[in-house]
Amino acid sequence: MPSQKSRILVVEDEAIVALDIQSRLRYMGYDVAGVASTGEDAVDKAGKLKPNLILMDIMLEGGMDGIEAAGLIKENFGIPVVYLTAYADKQTLERAKITNPFGYIIKPFEDRELQTTIEMAVYKYETDRKLVLSERLLATTLKSLGEAVVTTGADGLVRFLNPVAEQFLGVKLEEAQGRTLPELLRHDDSCMAGFGSHTCRFTRSSGESVPIETNVSPILDDWGGTVGSVLVFRDISERVKSERNLREYVASLRESLEATVEALAVTAEKRDPYTAGHQQRVAALATAIAAELGLDGDRLEGLRVAGLLHDIGKIYIPAEILAKPSTLTNIEMGLIKTHSEVGFDILKNIPFPWPVAQCVLQHHERLNGSGYPAGLSDGQISEEAKILSVADVVEAMSSHRPYRAALGLDRALGEVKRNRGVLYFPDAVDACLGLFESGRFSFEMEERA
């Protein structure tokens, strides 16, 4: 069920299909805001109903198709659109891209695919909208800051104050003339640390300390001599506050992303309780290996997220197969092997700042091309996926499975060592062995942490 009930406008010109979509949406807990069968009707109802999301068929009755309607809706109302269509030809896709859709689902589709796309589209839209609003707030604050201007002569005495400076300093021009800047500003020494820009604190007559930004420029005569100076300063209290709020907001977005990742990871493990904790342990080992190889912090975070989600595609596999206590048949094993592609399909439209979906897709590929799903070889597999595959094999062999007892860490490490350079990335294997042999990593250590 969606975490928050979204109102969805369905745009579909086939009545039976429209009824089916409405039924599915209501079953999944969404509110159907309305139904439109033409592009013109879709634009009209989008403006009147203000839904959270629009499911848009491309081929519609009338003179306006779904892509044209989506363009007008984006321009006039900014409502996110997900295309729900049977058309996936190159020309249609290129046209659809122009409208920047929040998803593209090909008919026929499964409820899980529809719900995942809707949830991710709404999440992305809300995240983008909040970020835009935050940026507008910050921009408005910066543009509204008044600048105070003070000029002095060669003797350092004040010659001019503008009205903003008068208000800020609490003195009139007549009172300020003939006095020095240090007398007026009541600032710390950094405010007047030579020409250029500085930040410092100004103490008001009330005793309040205010952060200010100053820029001091010389006034030059025709021969380049300094005959005075111009001091421009502004109260940056609001900017400092806004920047702090923005940092907190970005941190909040990261927390929301982390919560989403954790929720997706738990979803996969609920389907396969015998591997509970597997994704977390694989993520921990993969990031430890990557750190040994010198990957930077951003790539480490992307690999950690990929590790937490690498088996998300198992939600597609029947639970009785995942929990089967005996050897799997070829058909069952073939179904299991689809999980990396399913995981890719689930994650590919999520706007992660890292190539998470690609890493999930490739984590069962092998250097010699014997892996799946695409039989990629060494140069075609990303470094993150090669690292993740080593961590996945070591953890999986070390742990209990319904169809076999745990094989133990020694056999797991022996497997990657024996096939180093054949199946597994040599650098990742070496780093993995070094971590365990030195005692700097263990699964028990990670679980205690």
Side-chain angles (χ1 to χ4, degrees):
M1 297 291 286
S3 56
Q4 184 176 355
K5 195 169 185 180
S6 298
R7 298 175 64 253
I8 299 176
L9 174 63
V10 178
V11 184
E12 171 61 61
D13 59 359
E14 294 186 30
I16 294 177
V17 176
L19 285 172
D20 176 60
I21 294 172
Q22 292 177 72
S23 176
R24 293 194 193 197
L25 291 174
R26 292 191 177 104
Y27 176 76
M28 288 185 281
Y30 298 107
D31 182 10
V32 178
V35 179
S37 60
T38 67
E40 294 84 351
D41 192 25
V43 175
D44 180 62
K45 287 183 176 175
K48 291 178 179 177
L49 301 176
K50 297 293 189 298
N52 302 109
L53 181 76
I54 298 174
L55 294 179
M56 177 77 74
D57 192 8
I58 289 180
M59 303 303 293
L60 298 171
E61 299 174 350
M64 181 187 297
D65 68 6
I67 295 176
E68 293 174 286
L72 289 173
I73 289 169
K74 177 189 174 186
E75 179 180 352
N76 294 314
F77 312 116
I79 300 171
V81 172
V82 171
Y83 289 116
L84 198 62
T85 179
Y87 292 84
D89 58 279
K90 185 176 181 181
Q91 183 178 1
T92 300
L93 289 172
E94 289 299 320
R95 284 187 63 218
K97 285 180 184 178
I98 299 174
T99 63
N100 292 317
F102 282 68
Y104 199 111
I105 303 177
I106 305 298
K107 300 175 183 176
F109 53 88
E110 296 181 1
D111 287 356
R112 183 191 69 252
E113 180 185 7
L114 177 61
Q115 184 167 10
T116 300
T117 301
I118 290 173
E119 288 298 295
M120 292 306 155
V122 172
Y123 174 79
K124 181 180 183 299
Y125 173 73
E126 289 298 324
T127 301
D128 290 349
R129 188 176 66 87
K130 289 178 182 177
L131 187 57
V132 168
L133 290 175
S134 179
E135 289 174 346
R136 286 178 181 173
L137 173 63
L138 180 58
T140 301
T141 301
L142 293 176
K143 290 177 181 179
S144 299
L145 291 174
E147 294 186 342
V149 179
V150 182
T151 62
T152 65
D155 54 7
L157 301 179
V158 172
R159 295 288 192 271
F160 171 79
L161 301 179
N162 73 345
V164 176
E166 289 182 328
Q167 183 178 11
F168 191 87
L169 298 173
V171 296
K172 295 294 184 181
L173 174 59
E174 296 76 13
E175 299 171 311
Q177 286 176 330
R179 299 170 65 181
T180 64
L181 281 174
E183 289 181 74
L184 295 177
L185 284 176
R186 300 183 295 277
H187 57 73
D188 58 44
D189 293 338
S190 61
C191 274
M192 299 294 292
F195 297 125
S197 298
H198 312 282
T199 56
C200 57
R201 300 196 71 85
F202 165 75
T203 304
R204 295 185 184 277
S205 57
S206 63
E208 178 189 4
S209 179
V210 179
I212 62 173
E213 183 177 74
T214 66
N215 186 280
V216 183
S217 302
I219 301 174
L220 304 178
D221 61 20
D222 293 340
W223 299 273
T226 300
V227 295
S229 63
V230 176
L231 170 66
V232 179
F233 64 95
R234 60 192 64 84
D235 181 349
I236 59 172
S237 299
E238 287 300 317
R239 190 177 82 188
V240 169
K241 181 181 177 181
S242 296
E243 289 173 347
R244 182 176 66 250
N245 290 342
L246 186 57
R247 287 193 297 271
E248 292 172 354
Y249 176 69
V250 171
S252 175
L253 287 182
R254 287 189 174 275
E255 289 177 2
S256 297
L257 177 61
E258 182 69 21
T260 301
V261 169
E262 291 291 343
L264 288 171
V266 169
T267 299
E269 293 193 345
K270 288 292 184 183
R271 294 281 294 164
D272 190 6
Y274 289 97
T275 59
H278 166 70
Q279 294 189 126
Q280 286 82 354
R281 291 190 292 270
V282 169
L285 177 55
T287 51
I289 293 172
E292 289 289 296
L293 298 181
L295 271 67
D296 62 32
D298 192 55
R299 292 181 69 189
L300 286 177
E301 179 62 13
L303 181 56
R304 185 186 73 84
V305 171
L308 288 172
L309 299 178
H310 74 277
D311 278 343
I312 184 66
K314 286 188 176 180
I315 63 175
Y316 175 74
I317 311 300
E320 57 269 22
I321 294 179
L322 295 174
K324 185 176 179 180
S326 57
T327 304
L328 299 176
T329 67
N330 289 337
I331 293 177
E332 291 168 335
M333 183 55 69
L335 192 57
I336 288 283
K337 286 184 177 181
T338 64
H339 78 276
S340 55
E341 292 177 284
V342 174
F344 174 78
D345 289 338
I346 292 172
L347 301 173
K348 65 183 179 182
N349 291 322
I350 302 178
F352 288 117
W354 323 282
V356 173
Q358 199 66 30
C359 189
V360 168
L361 179 65
Q362 297 178 355
H363 78 278
H364 278 291
E365 301 287 0
R366 298 294 181 254
L367 299 187
N368 64 359
S370 64
Y372 62 86
L376 303 180
S377 55
D378 186 4
Q380 300 170 302
I381 309 169
S382 72
E383 184 176 10
E384 283 86 348
K386 289 188 283 190
I387 293 170
L388 184 59
S389 68
V390 171
D392 189 31
V393 167
V394 170
E395 200 290 326
M397 290 184 66
S398 303
S399 301
H400 174 75
R401 291 293 183 270
Y403 51 86
R404 62 155 172 80
L407 299 177
L409 181 61
D410 290 341
R411 287 187 63 180
L413 295 178
E415 159 66 18
V416 295
K417 185 176 183 180
R418 183 169 56 256
N419 289 293
R420 176 187 181 277
V422 179
L423 301 180
Y424 310 115
F425 183 33
D427 292 350
V429 171
D430 294 342
C432 179
L433 294 173
L435 285 167
F436 281 103
E437 290 170 359
S438 66
R440 288 179 290 122
F441 183 93
S442 71
F443 292 121
E444 294 77 11
M445 183 189 306
E446 290 300 314
E447 288 177 356
R448 288 195 299 271

Coordinates of all heavy atoms in Angstrom, one line a residue, residues 103-177:
G103 N 8.0 8.3 -15.7 CA 8.0 6.9 -15.9 C 7.4 6.5 -17.2 O 6.7 7.3 -17.9
Y104 N 7.7 5.3 -17.7 CA 7.2 4.8 -19.0 C 7.0 3.3 -18.9 O 7.9 2.5 -18.8 CB 8.3 5.1 -20.1 CG 7.7 5.1 -21.5 CD1 7.6 6.3 -22.2 CD2 7.4 3.9 -22.1 CE1 7.2 6.3 -23.5 CE2 6.9 3.9 -23.4 CZ 6.8 5.1 -24.1 OH 6.4 5.1 -25.4
I105 N 5.7 2.9 -18.8 CA 5.3 1.5 -18.6 C 4.7 1.0 -19.9 O 3.8 1.6 -20.4 CB 4.4 1.3 -17.4 CG1 5.0 1.9 -16.1 CG2 4.0 -0.1 -17.2 CD1 4.0 1.8 -14.9
I106 N 5.2 -0.2 -20.3 CA 4.7 -0.8 -21.5 C 3.6 -1.8 -21.2 O 3.7 -2.6 -20.3 CB 5.8 -1.5 -22.3 CG1 7.0 -0.5 -22.6 CG2 5.3 -2.1 -23.6 CD1 6.6 0.6 -23.4
K107 N 2.4 -1.6 -21.8 CA 1.3 -2.6 -21.7 C 1.7 -3.9 -22.4 O 2.3 -3.9 -23.4 CB 0.0 -2.1 -22.3 CG -0.4 -0.7 -21.7 CD -1.7 -0.3 -22.5 CE -2.2 1.1 -22.0 NZ -3.3 1.6 -22.8
P108 N 1.3 -5.1 -21.8 CA 0.7 -5.3 -20.5 C 1.7 -5.1 -19.4 O 2.9 -5.3 -19.6 CB 0.1 -6.7 -20.6 CG 1.1 -7.4 -21.6 CD 1.5 -6.3 -22.6
F109 N 1.2 -4.9 -18.2 CA 2.1 -4.6 -17.1 C 1.5 -5.4 -15.9 O 0.4 -5.7 -15.8 CB 2.2 -3.1 -16.8 CG 0.9 -2.5 -16.6 CD1 0.3 -2.4 -15.4 CD2 0.2 -1.9 -17.7 CE1 -1.0 -1.8 -15.2 CE2 -1.0 -1.3 -17.6 CZ -1.6 -1.3 -16.3
E110 N 2.4 -5.5 -14.9 CA 2.0 -6.1 -13.6 C 1.7 -5.1 -12.6 O 2.3 -4.0 -12.7 CB 3.1 -7.1 -13.1 CG 3.4 -8.3 -14.0 CD 4.5 -9.2 -13.5 OE1 5.0 -8.9 -12.4 OE2 4.8 -10.2 -14.1
D111 N 0.9 -5.4 -11.6 CA 0.6 -4.5 -10.5 C 1.8 -4.0 -9.8 O 1.9 -2.8 -9.5 CB -0.4 -5.1 -9.5 CG -1.8 -5.2 -10.1 OD1 -2.0 -4.8 -11.2 OD2 -2.7 -5.8 -9.4
R112 N 2.8 -4.9 -9.6 CA 4.0 -4.5 -8.9 C 4.8 -3.4 -9.6 O 5.2 -2.5 -9.1 CB 4.9 -5.7 -8.6 CG 6.1 -5.4 -7.8 CD 7.1 -6.6 -7.9 NE 7.7 -6.7 -9.2 CZ 7.4 -7.7 -10.0 NH1 6.6 -8.7 -9.6 NH2 8.0 -7.8 -11.2
E113 N 4.9 -3.6 -10.9 CA 5.6 -2.7 -11.8 C 4.9 -1.3 -11.7 O 5.5 -0.3 -11.6 CB 5.6 -3.2 -13.2 CG 6.4 -2.3 -14.2 CD 6.3 -2.7 -15.6 OE1 5.6 -3.7 -15.9 OE2 7.0 -2.1 -16.4
L114 N 3.5 -1.3 -11.8 CA 2.8 -0.1 -11.8 C 2.9 0.6 -10.5 O 3.2 1.8 -10.4 CB 1.3 -0.4 -12.1 CG 0.3 0.8 -12.0 CD1 0.7 1.8 -13.1 CD2 -1.1 0.3 -12.2
Q115 N 2.8 -0.1 -9.4 CA 2.9 0.5 -8.1 C 4.3 1.1 -7.8 O 4.4 2.2 -7.3 CB 2.5 -0.4 -7.0 CG 2.5 0.2 -5.6 CD 1.8 -0.6 -4.5 OE1 1.5 -1.8 -4.8 NE2 1.6 -0.1 -3.4
T116 N 5.3 0.3 -8.2 CA 6.7 0.8 -8.0 C 6.9 2.1 -8.8 O 7.5 3.0 -8.3 CB 7.7 -0.3 -8.4 OG1 7.5 -1.5 -7.6 CG2 9.1 0.2 -8.2
T117 N 6.5 2.1 -10.0 CA 6.7 3.3 -10.9 C 5.9 4.5 -10.3 O 6.5 5.6 -10.2 CB 6.2 3.0 -12.3 OG1 6.9 1.9 -12.8 CG2 6.4 4.2 -13.2
I118 N 4.7 4.3 -9.8 CA 3.9 5.4 -9.2 C 4.6 5.9 -8.0 O 4.8 7.1 -7.8 CB 2.5 4.9 -8.9 CG1 1.7 4.7 -10.2 CG2 1.8 6.0 -8.0 CD1 0.3 4.1 -10.0
E119 N 5.0 5.0 -7.1 CA 5.6 5.5 -5.9 C 6.9 6.2 -6.1 O 7.2 7.3 -5.5 CB 5.9 4.3 -5.0 CG 4.7 3.6 -4.3 CD 3.9 4.6 -3.4 OE1 4.5 5.0 -2.4 OE2 2.8 5.0 -3.8
M120 N 7.8 5.7 -7.0 CA 9.0 6.4 -7.3 C 8.8 7.7 -8.1 O 9.5 8.7 -7.8 CB 9.9 5.5 -8.2 CG 10.4 4.3 -7.5 SD 11.2 4.8 -5.9 CE 11.0 3.3 -5.0
A121 N 7.7 7.8 -8.9 CA 7.4 9.0 -9.6 C 7.0 10.1 -8.6 O 7.4 11.3 -8.7 CB 6.4 8.8 -10.7
V122 N 6.1 9.7 -7.7 CA 5.6 10.7 -6.7 C 6.7 11.1 -5.8 O 6.9 12.3 -5.5 CB 4.5 10.0 -5.9 CG1 4.1 10.9 -4.7 CG2 3.2 9.8 -6.7
Y123 N 7.6 10.2 -5.4 CA 8.7 10.5 -4.5 C 9.7 11.5 -5.2 O 10.1 12.5 -4.6 CB 9.4 9.2 -4.1 CG 10.7 9.4 -3.4 CD1 10.7 9.7 -2.0 CD2 12.0 9.4 -4.0 CE1 11.9 10.0 -1.3 CE2 13.1 9.6 -3.3 CZ 13.1 9.9 -1.9 OH 14.2 10.1 -1.3
K124 N 10.0 11.2 -6.5 CA 10.9 12.0 -7.2 C 10.3 13.4 -7.4 O 11.0 14.4 -7.2 CB 11.2 11.4 -8.6 CG 12.2 12.3 -9.4 CD 12.5 11.6 -10.7 CE 13.5 12.4 -11.5 NZ 13.1 13.7 -11.9
Y125 N 9.0 13.5 -7.7 CA 8.4 14.8 -7.9 C 8.4 15.6 -6.7 O 8.7 16.8 -6.7 CB 7.0 14.5 -8.4 CG 6.1 15.8 -8.5 CD1 6.4 16.8 -9.5 CD2 5.1 16.1 -7.6 CE1 5.7 17.9 -9.6 CE2 4.4 17.3 -7.6 CZ 4.7 18.2 -8.6 OH 4.0 19.3 -8.7
E126 N 8.0 15.0 -5.6 CA 8.0 15.7 -4.3 C 9.4 16.1 -3.9 O 9.6 17.3 -3.4 CB 7.4 14.8 -3.2 CG 5.9 14.6 -3.3 CD 5.1 15.9 -3.3 OE1 5.5 16.8 -2.5 OE2 4.1 16.0 -4.0
T127 N 10.4 15.3 -4.1 CA 11.7 15.7 -3.7 C 12.2 16.8 -4.6 O 12.8 17.8 -4.1 CB 12.7 14.5 -3.9 OG1 12.2 13.4 -3.1 CG2 14.1 14.8 -3.6
D128 N 12.0 16.7 -5.9 CA 12.4 17.8 -6.8 C 11.6 19.1 -6.5 O 12.2 20.2 -6.5 CB 12.1 17.5 -8.3 CG 13.0 16.4 -8.8 OD1 13.9 16.0 -8.1 OD2 12.7 15.8 -9.9
R129 N 10.4 19.0 -6.2 CA 9.6 20.2 -5.8 C 10.1 20.9 -4.6 O 10.2 22.1 -4.5 CB 8.1 19.8 -5.7 CG 7.2 21.0 -5.5 CD 5.7 20.6 -5.5 NE 5.4 19.8 -4.3 CZ 5.1 20.3 -3.1 NH1 5.0 21.6 -3.0 NH2 4.8 19.5 -2.1
K130 N 10.4 20.1 -3.5 CA 10.9 20.6 -2.3 C 12.2 21.3 -2.5 O 12.5 22.4 -1.9 CB 11.0 19.5 -1.2 CG 9.6 19.0 -0.7 CD 9.8 17.9 0.3 CE 8.5 17.4 0.8 NZ 8.7 16.2 1.7
L131 N 13.1 20.7 -3.3 CA 14.4 21.3 -3.6 C 14.2 22.6 -4.3 O 14.9 23.6 -4.0 CB 15.2 20.3 -4.4 CG 16.7 20.7 -4.6 CD1 17.4 20.9 -3.3 CD2 17.4 19.6 -5.4
V132 N 13.3 22.7 -5.3 CA 13.1 23.9 -6.0 C 12.6 25.0 -5.1 O 13.1 26.1 -5.2 CB 12.1 23.7 -7.2 CG1 11.7 25.0 -7.8 CG2 12.8 22.8 -8.3
L133 N 11.7 24.6 -4.2 CA 11.1 25.6 -3.3 C 12.2 26.1 -2.4 O 12.3 27.3 -2.0 CB 10.0 25.0 -2.5 CG 8.7 24.7 -3.3 CD1 7.7 24.0 -2.4 CD2 8.1 26.0 -3.8
S134 N 13.1 25.2 -1.9 CA 14.1 25.6 -1.0 C 15.1 26.5 -1.7 O 15.6 27.5 -1.2 CB 14.9 24.3 -0.5 OG 15.9 24.7 0.3
E135 N 15.4 26.2 -3.0 CA 16.3 27.1 -3.8 C 15.7 28.5 -4.0 O 16.4 29.5 -3.9 CB 16.6 26.4 -5.1 CG 17.5 25.2 -5.0 CD 17.7 24.5 -6.3 OE1 17.0 24.8 -7.2 OE2 18.6 23.6 -6.4
R136 N 14.4 28.5 -4.2 CA 13.7 29.8 -4.4 C 13.8 30.6 -3.1 O 14.0 31.8 -3.2 CB 12.3 29.6 -4.8 CG 12.1 29.1 -6.3 CD 10.6 28.8 -6.6 NE 10.5 28.4 -8.0 CZ 9.3 27.9 -8.4 NH1 8.2 27.9 -7.7 NH2 9.2 27.5 -9.7
L137 N 13.6 29.9 -2.0 CA 13.6 30.6 -0.7 C 15.0 31.2 -0.5 O 15.1 32.4 -0.1 CB 13.3 29.6 0.4 CG 13.4 30.2 1.8 CD1 12.5 31.3 2.1 CD2 13.2 29.0 2.8
L138 N 16.0 30.4 -0.8 CA 17.4 30.9 -0.6 C 17.7 32.1 -1.5 O 18.2 33.1 -1.1 CB 18.4 29.8 -0.8 CG 19.9 30.2 -0.7 CD1 20.1 30.7 0.7 CD2 20.7 29.0 -0.9
A139 N 17.3 32.0 -2.8 CA 17.5 33.0 -3.8 C 16.8 34.3 -3.4 O 17.3 35.4 -3.5 CB 17.1 32.6 -5.2
T140 N 15.5 34.2 -2.9 CA 14.8 35.4 -2.5 C 15.4 36.1 -1.3 O 15.5 37.3 -1.3 CB 13.3 35.0 -2.2 OG1 12.7 34.4 -3.3 CG2 12.5 36.2 -1.8
T141 N 15.9 35.2 -0.4 CA 16.5 35.8 0.8 C 17.8 36.6 0.4 O 18.0 37.7 0.9 CB 16.9 34.7 1.8 OG1 15.8 34.0 2.1 CG2 17.6 35.2 3.0
L142 N 18.6 36.0 -0.5 CA 19.8 36.7 -0.9 C 19.5 38.0 -1.7 O 20.2 39.0 -1.4 CB 20.6 35.8 -1.8 CG 21.2 34.5 -1.1 CD1 21.9 33.6 -2.1 CD2 22.2 34.9 0.0
K143 N 18.5 38.0 -2.5 CA 18.2 39.2 -3.3 C 17.6 40.3 -2.4 O 17.7 41.5 -2.8 CB 17.2 38.8 -4.4 CG 17.8 38.0 -5.5 CD 16.8 37.6 -6.6 CE 17.4 36.7 -7.7 NZ 16.4 36.3 -8.7
S144 N 17.0 39.9 -1.3 CA 16.3 40.9 -0.4 C 17.3 41.5 0.5 O 16.9 42.5 1.2 CB 15.2 40.2 0.3 OG 14.2 39.7 -0.5
L145 N 18.5 41.0 0.6 CA 19.5 41.6 1.6 C 19.9 43.0 1.1 O 20.4 43.2 0.0 CB 20.7 40.7 1.7 CG 20.5 39.4 2.4 CD1 21.8 38.6 2.4 CD2 20.1 39.6 3.9
G146 N 19.6 44.0 2.0 CA 20.1 45.4 1.6 C 21.6 45.5 1.8 O 22.2 44.9 2.7
E147 N 22.2 46.3 1.0 CA 23.6 46.6 1.1 C 23.9 48.0 1.6 O 23.3 49.0 1.1 CB 24.3 46.4 -0.3 CG 24.3 44.9 -0.8 CD 25.1 44.8 -2.0 OE1 25.4 45.8 -2.7 OE2 25.4 43.6 -2.3
A148 N 24.7 48.1 2.6 CA 25.1 49.4 3.2 C 26.4 49.8 2.5 O 27.3 49.1 2.3 CB 25.3 49.2 4.7
V149 N 26.5 51.1 2.3 CA 27.6 51.7 1.6 C 28.2 52.9 2.4 O 27.5 53.8 2.8 CB 27.3 52.2 0.2 CG1 28.5 52.9 -0.5 CG2 26.7 51.1 -0.7
V150 N 29.5 52.8 2.7 CA 30.2 53.8 3.5 C 31.4 54.2 2.7 O 32.2 53.4 2.2 CB 30.6 53.3 4.9 CG1 31.3 54.5 5.6 CG2 29.4 52.8 5.6
T151 N 31.7 55.5 2.5 CA 32.9 56.0 1.9 C 33.7 56.8 2.9 O 33.2 57.5 3.7 CB 32.7 56.8 0.6 OG1 31.9 58.0 1.0 CG2 31.9 56.0 -0.4
T152 N 35.0 56.7 2.8 CA 36.0 57.5 3.6 C 36.9 58.2 2.7 O 37.2 57.8 1.6 CB 36.7 56.6 4.6 OG1 37.6 55.7 3.8 CG2 35.8 55.7 5.4
G153 N 37.5 59.2 3.3 CA 38.6 60.0 2.6 C 40.0 59.4 2.9 O 40.1 58.4 3.5
A154 N 41.0 60.1 2.4 CA 42.3 59.6 2.5 C 42.7 59.6 4.0 O 43.6 58.8 4.4 CB 43.3 60.6 1.8
D155 N 42.1 60.4 4.8 CA 42.4 60.5 6.2 C 41.7 59.4 7.0 O 41.8 59.3 8.3 CB 42.1 61.9 6.8 CG 40.6 62.3 6.5 OD1 39.8 61.4 6.0 OD2 40.2 63.4 6.8
G156 N 40.8 58.6 6.3 CA 40.1 57.5 7.0 C 38.8 57.9 7.7 O 38.2 57.1 8.3
L157 N 38.5 59.2 7.5 CA 37.2 59.7 8.1 C 36.1 59.5 7.2 O 36.2 59.6 6.0 CB 37.4 61.2 8.5 CG 38.5 61.5 9.5 CD1 38.6 63.0 9.8 CD2 38.4 60.7 10.8
V158 N 34.9 59.2 7.7 CA 33.7 59.0 7.0 C 33.2 60.2 6.2 O 33.2 61.3 6.8 CB 32.5 58.5 7.9 CG1 31.2 58.4 7.1 CG2 32.9 57.1 8.5
R159 N 33.0 60.0 4.9 CA 32.4 61.1 4.1 C 31.0 60.8 3.7 O 30.2 61.8 3.5 CB 33.2 61.1 2.7 CG 34.7 61.5 2.9 CD 34.9 63.0 3.3 NE 36.3 63.4 3.2 CZ 37.1 63.3 4.2 NH1 36.8 62.8 5.4 NH2 38.4 63.7 4.1
F160 N 30.5 59.5 3.6 CA 29.2 59.3 3.1 C 28.6 58.0 3.7 O 29.4 57.0 3.9 CB 29.2 59.2 1.6 CG 27.9 58.8 1.0 CD1 26.8 59.6 0.9 CD2 27.7 57.4 0.6 CE1 25.6 59.2 0.4 CE2 26.5 57.0 0.0 CZ 25.4 57.9 -0.1
L161 N 27.3 58.0 4.0 CA 26.6 56.8 4.3 C 25.3 56.8 3.5 O 24.7 57.8 3.4 CB 26.2 56.8 5.8 CG 27.2 56.9 6.9 CD1 26.5 56.9 8.3 CD2 28.1 55.7 6.9
N162 N 25.0 55.6 2.9 CA 23.7 55.6 2.3 C 22.6 55.2 3.3 O 22.9 54.9 4.5 CB 23.7 54.6 1.1 CG 23.7 53.1 1.6 OD1 24.0 52.8 2.7 ND2 23.4 52.2 0.6
P163 N 21.3 55.4 3.0 CA 20.2 55.1 3.9 C 20.3 53.8 4.6 O 20.0 53.6 5.8 CB 18.9 55.3 3.1 CG 19.3 56.2 2.0 CD 20.8 55.9 1.7
V164 N 20.7 52.8 3.9 CA 20.7 51.4 4.5 C 21.8 51.4 5.5 O 21.7 50.8 6.6 CB 21.0 50.3 3.4 CG1 21.2 48.9 4.0 CG2 19.9 50.3 2.4
A165 N 23.0 52.0 5.2 CA 24.0 52.1 6.2 C 23.6 52.9 7.5 O 23.9 52.5 8.6 CB 25.3 52.7 5.6
E166 N 22.9 53.9 7.2 CA 22.4 54.7 8.4 C 21.5 53.9 9.3 O 21.7 53.9 10.5 CB 21.6 55.9 7.9 CG 22.4 57.0 7.2 CD 21.5 58.2 6.8 OE1 20.3 58.0 6.4 OE2 22.0 59.3 6.8
Q167 N 20.6 53.1 8.6 CA 19.7 52.3 9.4 C 20.5 51.2 10.2 O 20.2 50.9 11.3 CB 18.6 51.7 8.5 CG 17.6 50.8 9.3 CD 16.5 50.3 8.4 OE1 16.7 50.3 7.2 NE2 15.5 49.8 8.9
F168 N 21.4 50.6 9.5 CA 22.2 49.5 10.0 C 23.1 49.9 11.2 O 23.1 49.3 12.3 CB 23.0 48.8 9.0 CG 23.6 47.5 9.4 CD1 23.0 46.3 9.2 CD2 24.9 47.5 9.9 CE1 23.5 45.1 9.6 CE2 25.5 46.2 10.3 CZ 24.8 45.1 10.2
L169 N 23.7 51.1 11.0 CA 24.7 51.6 12.0 C 24.0 52.3 13.1 O 24.6 52.6 14.2 CB 25.7 52.4 11.3 CG 26.6 51.7 10.3 CD1 27.5 52.7 9.6 CD2 27.5 50.6 11.0
G170 N 22.8 52.8 12.8 CA 22.0 53.5 13.8 C 22.5 55.0 14.0 O 22.3 55.6 15.1
V171 N 23.1 55.5 12.9 CA 23.5 56.9 13.0 C 23.1 57.6 11.7 O 23.0 57.0 10.6 CB 25.0 57.1 13.2 CG1 25.5 56.5 14.5 CG2 25.8 56.4 12.0
K172 N 23.0 58.9 11.7 CA 22.7 59.7 10.5 C 24.0 60.1 9.9 O 25.1 60.1 10.6 CB 21.9 61.0 10.8 CG 20.5 60.6 11.3 CD 19.6 60.0 10.2 CE 18.2 59.8 10.7 NZ 17.4 59.1 9.6
L173 N 24.0 60.5 8.6 CA 25.2 60.9 7.9 C 25.9 62.1 8.6 O 27.1 62.0 8.8 CB 24.9 61.3 6.5 CG 26.0 61.9 5.6 CD1 27.2 60.9 5.5 CD2 25.5 62.3 4.3
E174 N 25.1 63.0 9.1 CA 25.7 64.2 9.8 C 26.5 63.8 11.0 O 27.5 64.4 11.3 CB 24.6 65.2 10.1 CG 23.9 65.8 9.0 CD 22.9 64.9 8.3 OE1 22.5 63.8 8.9 OE2 22.4 65.2 7.2
E175 N 26.0 62.8 11.7 CA 26.6 62.3 12.9 C 27.9 61.5 12.6 O 28.8 61.4 13.4 CB 25.7 61.4 13.8 CG 24.4 62.2 14.2 CD 23.4 61.2 14.8 OE1 23.1 60.1 14.2 OE2 22.9 61.5 15.9
A176 N 27.9 60.8 11.4 CA 29.0 59.9 11.1 C 30.2 60.6 10.5 O 31.3 60.2 10.6 CB 28.5 58.8 10.1
Q177 N 29.9 61.7 9.8 CA 31.0 62.4 9.1 C 32.0 62.9 10.1 O 31.7 63.4 11.2 CB 30.4 63.6 8.4 CG 29.7 63.2 7.1 CD 29.0 64.4 6.4 OE1 28.7 65.4 7.0 NE2 28.9 64.3 5.1

